[in-house]
mmCIF file of all heavy atoms in Angstrom:
data_model
loop_
_atom_site.group_PDB
_atom_site.id
_atom_site.type_symbol
_atom_site.label_atom_id
_atom_site.label_comp_id
_atom_site.label_asym_id
_atom_site.label_seq_id
_atom_site.Cartn_x
_atom_site.Cartn_y
_atom_site.Cartn_z
ATOM 1 N N VAL A 53 58.656 171.309 25.730
ATOM 2 C CA VAL A 53 57.476 172.134 25.444
ATOM 3 C C VAL A 53 56.224 171.748 26.228
ATOM 4 O O VAL A 53 55.213 172.444 26.161
ATOM 5 C CB VAL A 53 57.145 172.139 23.926
ATOM 6 C CG1 VAL A 53 58.319 172.669 23.114
ATOM 7 C CG2 VAL A 53 56.730 170.762 23.418
ATOM 8 N N THR A 54 56.257 170.623 26.963
ATOM 9 C CA THR A 54 55.052 170.224 27.697
ATOM 10 C C THR A 54 55.137 170.708 29.148
ATOM 11 O O THR A 54 56.167 171.233 29.579
ATOM 12 C CB THR A 54 54.840 168.690 27.671
ATOM 13 O OG1 THR A 54 55.891 168.064 28.413
ATOM 14 C CG2 THR A 54 54.814 168.155 26.263
ATOM 15 N N LYS A 60 56.612 163.267 29.670
ATOM 16 C CA LYS A 60 57.909 163.874 29.337
ATOM 17 C C LYS A 60 58.417 164.742 30.491
ATOM 18 O O LYS A 60 59.590 164.675 30.866
ATOM 19 C CB LYS A 60 57.789 164.705 28.056
ATOM 20 C CG LYS A 60 59.071 165.426 27.700
ATOM 21 C CD LYS A 60 59.179 165.794 26.225
ATOM 22 C CE LYS A 60 58.156 166.748 25.689
ATOM 23 N NZ LYS A 60 58.351 167.024 24.262
ATOM 24 N N SER A 110 59.134 165.736 19.884
ATOM 25 C CA SER A 110 58.423 164.612 19.297
ATOM 26 C C SER A 110 59.086 164.292 17.961
ATOM 27 O O SER A 110 59.662 165.170 17.297
ATOM 28 C CB SER A 110 56.931 164.927 19.144
ATOM 29 O OG SER A 110 56.680 165.503 17.913
ATOM 30 N N LYS A 113 59.052 166.204 14.561
ATOM 31 C CA LYS A 113 59.625 167.545 14.386
ATOM 32 C C LYS A 113 61.044 167.560 13.830
ATOM 33 O O LYS A 113 61.723 168.569 13.895
ATOM 34 C CB LYS A 113 59.557 168.288 15.724
ATOM 35 C CG LYS A 113 58.107 168.556 16.148
ATOM 36 C CD LYS A 113 57.965 169.237 17.480
ATOM 37 C CE LYS A 113 56.479 169.377 17.828
ATOM 38 N NZ LYS A 113 56.230 169.743 19.207
ATOM 39 N N ARG A 189 45.168 171.206 13.285
ATOM 40 C CA ARG A 189 46.563 171.503 13.665
ATOM 41 C C ARG A 189 47.406 170.227 13.665
ATOM 42 O O ARG A 189 46.975 169.198 14.182
ATOM 43 C CB ARG A 189 46.594 172.136 15.054
ATOM 44 C CG ARG A 189 48.014 172.490 15.542
ATOM 45 C CD ARG A 189 48.635 171.384 16.379
ATOM 46 N NE ARG A 189 50.005 171.718 16.767
ATOM 47 C CZ ARG A 189 50.781 170.953 17.515
ATOM 48 N NH1 ARG A 189 50.341 169.810 17.970
ATOM 49 N NH2 ARG A 189 52.003 171.317 17.808
ATOM 50 N N SER A 191 51.702 168.914 14.262
ATOM 51 C CA SER A 191 52.904 169.414 14.934
ATOM 52 C C SER A 191 54.089 169.577 13.996
ATOM 53 O O SER A 191 55.075 170.197 14.352
ATOM 54 C CB SER A 191 53.274 168.491 16.088
ATOM 55 O OG SER A 191 53.545 167.197 15.604
ATOM 56 N N ASN A 229 46.106 164.691 19.497
ATOM 57 C CA ASN A 229 47.167 164.632 20.498
ATOM 58 C C ASN A 229 46.836 163.547 21.517
ATOM 59 O O ASN A 229 45.788 162.902 21.426
ATOM 60 C CB ASN A 229 47.358 165.989 21.191
ATOM 61 C CG ASN A 229 48.838 166.366 21.251
ATOM 62 O OD1 ASN A 229 49.644 165.605 21.772
ATOM 63 N ND2 ASN A 229 49.192 167.515 20.696
ATOM 64 N N ASN A 233 48.483 165.402 26.867
ATOM 65 C CA ASN A 233 48.680 166.732 26.283
ATOM 66 C C ASN A 233 47.376 167.527 26.203
ATOM 67 O O ASN A 233 47.359 168.736 26.431
ATOM 68 C CB ASN A 233 49.337 166.620 24.904
ATOM 69 C CG ASN A 233 50.853 166.504 24.997
ATOM 70 O OD1 ASN A 233 51.437 166.746 26.053
ATOM 71 N ND2 ASN A 233 51.495 166.134 23.907
ATOM 72 N N TYR A 256 58.953 160.582 21.591
ATOM 73 C CA TYR A 256 59.976 161.618 21.684
ATOM 74 C C TYR A 256 61.340 160.995 21.483
ATOM 75 O O TYR A 256 61.599 159.883 21.948
ATOM 76 C CB TYR A 256 59.968 162.263 23.075
ATOM 77 C CG TYR A 256 58.630 162.815 23.484
ATOM 78 C CD1 TYR A 256 57.988 162.338 24.624
ATOM 79 C CD2 TYR A 256 58.009 163.814 22.746
ATOM 80 C CE1 TYR A 256 56.752 162.842 25.014
ATOM 81 C CE2 TYR A 256 56.782 164.321 23.134
ATOM 82 C CZ TYR A 256 56.154 163.832 24.259
ATOM 83 O OH TYR A 256 54.942 164.336 24.630
HETATM 84 C C1 LMR B 401 52.943 168.458 19.845
HETATM 85 O O1 LMR B 401 53.497 169.420 19.319
HETATM 86 O O2 LMR B 401 51.750 168.224 19.718
HETATM 87 C C2 LMR B 401 53.754 167.537 20.706
HETATM 88 O O3 LMR B 401 54.916 167.236 20.009
HETATM 89 C C3 LMR B 401 54.079 168.186 21.998
HETATM 90 C C4 LMR B 401 54.881 167.272 22.874
HETATM 91 O O4 LMR B 401 56.091 167.500 22.972
HETATM 92 O O5 LMR B 401 54.296 166.354 23.446
#
Side-chain angles (χ1 to χ4, degrees):
V53 301
T54 67
K60 177 157 63 180
S110 90
K113 294 178 183 167
R189 180 266 177 179
S191 61
N229 227 304
N233 276 347
Y256 305 120

